[in-house]
Amino acid sequence: MTMAFACWRGGACTILVVAAFVVAGCGAADSGAVADADAAAEAVDPREQFAGTWRLMRTERYDQRGEPLSDLMHPTIGLADVLGYLMYDGDRFGRIVQRVDRSAEDIQAALEGYEAYFGAYEVREAEGYVRYRIAGSVNPRLTGTELESFYEFSGGQLVLTPGLRCPDSYVARNGCAYGTTGIQLRHFWDRVAPSQESGAAAEPFHGFWAIDRLERQSLDGGDLSASQYADGYLAYMPSGQMAVQLMRPDRRRYEGPRPTAAEAEAAMETYASYFGPFSLEPGEDVVVHHRAGHLDPDQVGTDARRAFAFRDGQLVLQPPVSTDAEGREVQTSVYWNRVSARDSAAVAPTRD
């Protein structure tokens, strides 16, 4: 085996452990079979092996030489107890990882303990990495950027190795500047099996949905203004897990690498996100989101009931009626467009 650095845009580096295999003695008679096998491999979309829901099981830490990193070194990176899910469908993905010890009393820690982003991805199979194009992130600095991770499938797990992290220093071309020990993280994800509880009734939900618009009406029939989201995904997966991420327009980037208290508050006010299992109410057109994780720590463990309808190719969700500042009873409707690769013909017929 050999060890080498691979560097991303901006100079961040990661370590590759490369195994070299030499194949000899293949005669000309085998060339046709090899060509057929290569053609069959090329016909398979490499994203198919990613499709589904993955739960984060553990994270391993190494220094920039590939040696295991002591827990005493940079304990704030990669050691926390977390709950995290990664969802892939077609060319879309969503990722959320939440520290379980977050508290609303410290808004900066609450924000930094909730990592969430979504967008499109591609698999560079020949190079062995996956590229994520981030359409939206709870961290405004990530929105519109790209992240790349080496990947491997090992023992039924997806192992992702992102770029080398260098805390409190700048990243140099071949490692970390100013003598800081770099941190190489390796994330191990288990595939979540399809749920047997949701059944056929949940199939029309499965896939990724993109936000279209919000509408608000008073119960007396008057249309009200509604603040719109710039982008966002809602995912319902065959695993029985769901996740939502919504981003307001014109969010401001942090001035520094970490947010101030004011910047953290603004980031949380302009982003909505939670995740967890979902279920359907028997005999009702109601889906319940059981929020195992939430950007707002005070909302972890709560349920969100949403009336639903499939209408004109869209999914329409309605939270319970609320009362606005003027005392009017208001019904909000959230419209979603399907963006997953799933066959649209399988979507349930119109239900009102």
Side-chain angles (χ1 to χ4, degrees):
M1 290 189 179
T2 59
M3 185 173 291
F5 278 102
C7 298
W8 309 133
R9 295 176 182 82
C13 300
T14 190
I15 296 170
L16 284 172
V17 178
V18 183
F21 298 90
V22 178
V23 180
C26 295
D30 296 328
S31 61
V34 171
D36 291 344
D38 289 344
E42 291 177 0
V44 176
D45 187 337
R47 294 175 302 191
E48 291 183 5
Q49 58 191 332
F50 288 82
T53 305
W54 302 82
R55 178 169 178 169
L56 183 60
M57 302 308 294
R58 75 180 193 276
T59 296
E60 294 180 353
R61 309 187 326 148
Y62 300 88
D63 64 21
Q64 60 189 24
R65 297 177 300 277
E67 297 295 327
L69 192 66
S70 167
D71 288 356
L72 299 177
M73 297 293 294
H74 308 298
T76 60
I77 298 178
L79 288 180
D81 187 10
V82 299
L83 176 63
Y85 285 95
L86 180 57
M87 301 175 180
Y88 297 97
D89 185 77
D91 64 349
R92 312 295 172 130
F93 83 95
R95 183 182 192 273
I96 304 178
V97 177
Q98 169 190 276
R99 287 183 59 130
V100 299
D101 61 352
R102 296 163 63 241
S103 169
E105 296 179 0
D106 186 339
I107 193 167
Q108 289 167 289
L111 176 66
E112 293 184 308
Y114 194 91
E115 180 184 277
Y117 51 86
F118 64 91
Y121 77 103
E122 64 172 320
V123 180
R124 303 297 295 268
E125 193 171 24
E127 295 88 350
Y129 70 84
V130 58
R131 174 180 293 159
Y132 300 99
R133 296 188 175 92
I134 301 177
S137 171
V138 67
N139 180 350
R141 293 169 64 91
L142 286 181
T143 301
T145 65
E146 294 182 353
L147 295 178
E148 294 171 346
S149 291
F150 286 100
Y151 74 89
E152 60 182 289
F153 292 92
S154 176
Q157 292 184 311
L158 169 62
V159 185
L160 294 176
T161 304
L164 192 70
R165 293 185 61 173
C166 299
D168 305 321
S169 73
Y170 295 100
V171 180
R173 179 69 179 172
N174 293 313
C176 296
Y178 304 113
T180 301
T181 300
I183 300 177
Q184 180 63 76
L185 301 178
R186 283 170 56 82
H187 303 295
F188 292 76
W189 304 81
D190 275 2
R191 186 186 296 276
V192 183
S195 171
Q196 301 299 317
E197 297 180 2
S198 55
E203 290 183 4
F205 289 86
H206 292 166
F208 271 56
W209 304 79
I211 187 66
D212 179 26
R213 68 188 188 278
L214 274 69
E215 293 182 355
R216 298 172 67 242
Q217 285 188 324
S218 63
L219 293 193
D220 62 13
D223 291 332
L224 304 175
S225 62
S227 297
Q228 301 296 321
Y229 289 100
D231 204 351
Y233 284 176
L234 169 65
Y236 291 104
M237 303 300 287
S239 61
Q241 297 290 324
M242 61 78 56
V244 63
Q245 299 187 56
L246 288 164
M247 181 178 66
R248 297 290 187 187
D250 303 321
R251 302 175 75 230
R252 296 188 60 181
R253 292 167 57 91
Y254 310 146
E255 293 295 331
R258 297 186 60 196
T260 64
E263 289 173 331
E265 183 175 6
M268 293 186 74
E269 289 178 347
T270 55
Y271 207 87
S273 177
Y274 61 79
F275 63 96
F278 73 95
S279 61
L280 301 178
E281 290 289 336
E284 301 182 57
D285 287 344
V286 173
V287 59
V288 182
H289 303 155
H290 307 284
R291 300 186 286 197
H294 201 293
L295 179 57
D296 179 355
D298 287 339
Q299 295 298 313
V300 173
T302 63
D303 288 346
R305 290 172 54 88
R306 300 289 184 262
F308 70 86
F310 293 96
R311 186 181 304 146
D312 299 327
Q314 293 185 308
L315 170 62
V316 185
L317 297 180
Q318 293 181 323
V321 172
S322 61
T323 302
D324 69 7
E326 298 180 23
R328 296 172 297 193
E329 292 187 303
V330 177
Q331 177 65 73
T332 299
S333 299
V334 187
Y335 291 77
W336 300 88
N337 295 321
R338 179 177 291 281
V339 294
S340 70
R342 186 168 171 273
D343 184 359
S344 60
V347 176
T350 299
R351 297 172 66 178
D352 293 312

